[in-house]
């Protein structure tokens, strides 16, 4: 294998040999033969990043006493060109030598061979071009020009600058995001009949629904004073997508569950009328898993997998991660037991949801 294979694996899975943003500092130290224990224990802020040479992992927490939650990881590929870092020994053992200026064209060719698509994003950073992988949500940055104070003279045009996973919350250009947000404001003011007529025009366009659900989720994340209006409207929109068959039940359950967990909707004295119960959502999530537990356990972290094998793994991890966030609100024994079996396969999701202590030692 080669360094291009490593970058392709990172883009495809958002993980390093299975180690993604949900792993703990202690687990990563063991994996990469490092010792950051004293540093982690001394951190008093709400943000943490650990440097493993080529790689960086990032966590955040709500308060100094709260557990750490993984945010993202990145391959700081430009460091190789300027001689600031080396890859961890584990990567060299598995992938061989790492070039200082790996070719983006070679990476894209390898991803094409594996049937793992990249989507070009609007250019925001001078001298760079970014690409988004929709399944892993990784973002790859290519150097497309030399520019003083932006790129180093040792970085070659056409090389990989860096990879982040996940890289962006969404891939909507800002003008489109603002236009969609305005359309949702108009929807909020429309009558029930007018809303249904509006939906009739886009009943089977899955991306149309996804874009608006994304904008809803971002808007709700702002915790606006009009949240009492937007939560019911969001739930109505998600229910309409399910009722009209625009998106599958598991995807909608994941989106609704993530929003409900983020907004603490299940801790309210009275649940919003269209919010399904936590047991119902969890059942839908687990029913939608495309893999059996044995397959998931054996295949996650295996290098070089093609897209047809990676996509079911990523979908399964998304659904289990979301279900774990609902665990504190579950009441049905069978649902709790089934989720527990999956958390034995991927215990990192239990820690991320606060079900297991995320230790630094």
């Amino acid at each position: 294998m080669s360094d291009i294979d490593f970058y392709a694996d990172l883009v495809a899975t958002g993980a390093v040999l299975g180690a993604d943003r949900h792993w703990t500092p202690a687990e990563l130290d063991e994996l990469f033969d490092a010792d950051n224990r004293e540093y982690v224990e001394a951190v008093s802020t709400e943000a943490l990043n650990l440097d493993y040479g080529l790689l960086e992992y990032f966590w955040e927490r709500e308060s100094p006493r709260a557990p750490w939650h993984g945010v993202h990881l990145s391959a700081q590929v430009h460091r190789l060109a300027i001689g600031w870092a080396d890859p961890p020994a584990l990567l060299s053992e598995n992938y061989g030598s790492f070039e200082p200026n790996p070719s983006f064209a070679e990476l894209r060719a390898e991803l094409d061979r594996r049937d793992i698509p990249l989507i070009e994003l609007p250019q925001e950073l001078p001298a760079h071009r970014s690409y988004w992988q929709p399944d892993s949500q990784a973002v790859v940055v290519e150097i497309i020009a030399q520019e003083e104070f932006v790129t180093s003279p040792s970085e070659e045009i056409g090389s990989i600058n860096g990879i982040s996973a996940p890289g962006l919350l969404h891939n909507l250009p800002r003008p489109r995001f603002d236009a969609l947000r305005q359309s949702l404001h108009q929807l909020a003011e429309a009558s029930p009949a007018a809303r249904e007529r509006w939906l009739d025009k886009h009943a089977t366009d899955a991306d149309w629904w996804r874009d608006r659900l994304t904008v809803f989720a971002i808007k709700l994340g702002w915790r606006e004073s009009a949240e009492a209006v937007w939560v019911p409207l969001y739930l109505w929109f998600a229910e309409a997508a399910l009722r009209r068959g625009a998106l599958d039940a598991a995807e909608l359950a994941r989106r609704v569950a993530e929003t409900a967990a983020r907004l603490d909707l299940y801790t309210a004295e009275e649940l919003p009328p269209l919010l399904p119960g936590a047991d119902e959502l969890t059942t839908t999530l687990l029913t939608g898993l495309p893999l059996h537990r044995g397959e998931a356990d054996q295949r996650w972290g295996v290098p070089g997998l093609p897209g047809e094998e990676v996509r079911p793994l990523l979908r399964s991890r998304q659904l289990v991660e979301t279900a774990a966030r609902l665990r504190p609100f579950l009441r049905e024994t069978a649902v709790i037991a089934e989720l527990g079996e999956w958390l034995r396969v991927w215990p990192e999701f239990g820690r991320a949801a606060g079900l297991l202590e995320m230790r630094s030692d």
Side-chain angles (χ1 to χ4, degrees):
M1 303 192 80
S2 69
D3 57 344
I4 294 297
D5 290 311
F6 164 71
Y7 298 127
D9 285 339
L10 177 55
V11 172
T13 66
V16 176
L17 296 171
D20 63 6
R21 63 190 175 94
H22 299 289
W23 279 42
T24 69
E27 289 170 325
L28 292 171
D29 276 0
E30 182 177 358
L31 182 68
F32 297 127
D33 192 24
D35 186 1
N36 291 290
R37 180 173 47 188
E38 291 186 6
Y39 170 73
V40 173
E41 291 176 347
V43 171
S44 60
T45 63
E46 282 70 57
L48 168 68
N49 71 289
L50 292 182
D51 188 329
Y52 297 100
L54 171 64
L55 303 174
E56 275 193 282
Y57 282 74
F58 299 80
W59 297 263
E60 62 183 19
R61 59 186 176 184
E62 295 180 357
S63 69
R65 292 188 176 183
W68 292 110
H69 298 284
V71 178
H72 72 277
L73 66 96
S74 65
Q76 304 285 347
V77 186
H78 63 279
R79 292 179 178 177
L80 300 178
I82 57 182
W84 281 6
D86 295 313
L90 178 68
L91 298 190
S92 299
E93 292 167 5
N94 281 271
Y95 294 98
S97 61
F98 279 66
E99 297 296 324
N101 283 286
S103 166
F104 173 78
E106 291 182 18
L107 171 60
R108 187 157 204 175
E110 175 61 18
L111 291 171
D112 287 343
R113 188 188 68 80
R114 299 189 193 185
D115 186 27
I116 296 170
L118 290 178
I119 298 172
E120 185 175 336
L121 296 173
Q123 185 174 341
E124 297 181 353
L125 183 64
H128 297 78
R129 182 181 292 129
S130 298
Y131 303 84
W132 184 63
Q133 209 299 306
D135 299 300
S136 68
Q137 299 184 19
V139 168
V140 188
V141 180
E142 174 193 13
I143 297 175
I144 61 172
Q146 286 282 358
E147 186 166 331
E148 190 177 10
F149 306 120
V150 177
T151 60
S152 166
S154 58
E155 294 180 279
E156 296 178 0
I157 295 174
S159 64
I160 304 166
N161 174 264
I163 301 170
S164 297
L168 293 175
L169 178 61
H170 62 94
N171 67 325
L172 295 173
R174 186 57 192 250
R176 176 160 171 73
F177 173 83
D178 290 339
L180 291 176
R181 184 178 58 168
Q182 182 58 37
S183 73
L184 296 183
H185 278 277
Q186 295 170 355
L187 180 65
E189 298 171 358
S191 67
R195 292 177 183 177
E196 293 292 341
R197 287 195 299 270
W198 181 62
L199 296 182
D200 287 340
K201 302 176 183 178
H202 309 278
T204 59
D205 186 345
D207 287 338
W208 183 91
W209 292 84
R210 289 191 180 105
D211 285 350
R212 284 152 183 81
L213 284 166
T214 296
V215 174
F216 262 122
I218 296 169
K219 187 173 179 59
L220 286 168
W222 293 340
R223 298 275 187 164
E224 295 184 350
S225 58
E227 191 174 293
V229 173
W230 290 104
V231 168
L233 188 62
Y234 170 76
L235 294 173
W236 168 83
F237 192 83
E239 188 274 335
L242 179 63
R243 170 166 40 89
R244 291 167 175 262
L247 300 173
D248 70 74
E251 177 178 349
L252 287 164
R254 178 180 62 81
R255 290 175 176 272
V256 170
E258 288 176 352
T259 299
R262 188 171 68 252
L263 299 180
D264 297 321
L265 297 183
Y266 285 111
T267 63
E269 293 184 4
E270 185 175 346
L271 298 184
L274 289 177
L275 177 64
D279 290 284
E280 179 184 345
L281 278 180
T282 303
T283 298
T284 302
L285 291 167
L286 298 180
T287 301
L289 289 166
L291 296 177
H292 297 297
R293 287 190 292 273
E295 296 176 283
D297 191 25
Q298 294 172 10
R299 302 303 286 167
W300 180 248
V302 174
L305 294 180
E308 64 181 0
E309 294 187 49
V310 171
R311 283 185 282 274
L313 282 165
L314 290 172
R315 179 175 170 86
S316 295
R317 284 180 66 81
Q318 285 180 338
L319 297 180
V320 173
E321 176 193 0
T322 304
R325 300 179 69 181
L326 298 180
R327 174 59 184 84
F329 312 109
L330 299 180
R331 298 294 179 267
E332 297 182 13
T333 303
V335 178
I336 293 172
E338 177 65 12
L339 175 57
E341 291 298 319
W342 274 100
L343 292 181
R344 289 185 178 88
V345 175
W346 289 322
E348 58 266 32
F349 296 138
R351 286 189 292 270
L355 307 179
L356 300 170
E357 183 181 359
M358 183 174 176
R359 305 189 315 171
S360 60
D361 58 347

